[in-house]
Amino acid sequence: GRLLLSLQAGLVLAATGVGLMLASQTVSEIEAAEPLHILGLISISLGVGFALSAAASFLISKKLGLL
C-alpha cells in the first residue's frame, strides 16, 4: 500500500513538473516563464525522489523477507 502510494505520488509530481517545464517554454515573457521553469524542476526532483524512495523501500523489504 505505502510503496504504491509513494510511487504514484512520484509519478504524478514528475508528470506535473514536465507539464510546468513545457508550459514555461510556451510563455513568451521571461518574467512569467522563469517561475514555471523553477517549479517544474522542483516538481520533477520531488517526483524522482519519491519514486527512488519507493524502489529502495521495495528492495529493502524484499531482502528482509517482508514481502
Side-chain angles (χ1 to χ4, degrees):
R2 285 183 172 177
L3 291 175
L4 290 178
L5 186 63
S6 292
L7 183 60
Q8 182 182 12
L11 292 175
V12 169
L13 279 170
T16 302
V18 169
L20 287 169
M21 297 284 283
L22 290 173
S24 75
Q25 298 298 316
T26 62
V27 175
S28 60
E29 294 192 26
I30 191 81
E31 293 86 18
E34 192 173 335
L36 289 174
H37 188 79
I38 292 170
L39 286 174
L41 287 174
I42 292 170
S43 294
I44 290 172
S45 298
L46 287 171
V48 169
F50 270 110
L52 289 176
S53 172
S57 295
F58 175 78
L59 292 174
I60 291 170
S61 296
K62 193 158 184 133
K63 190 166 236 178
L64 293 175
L66 300 174
L67 293 177

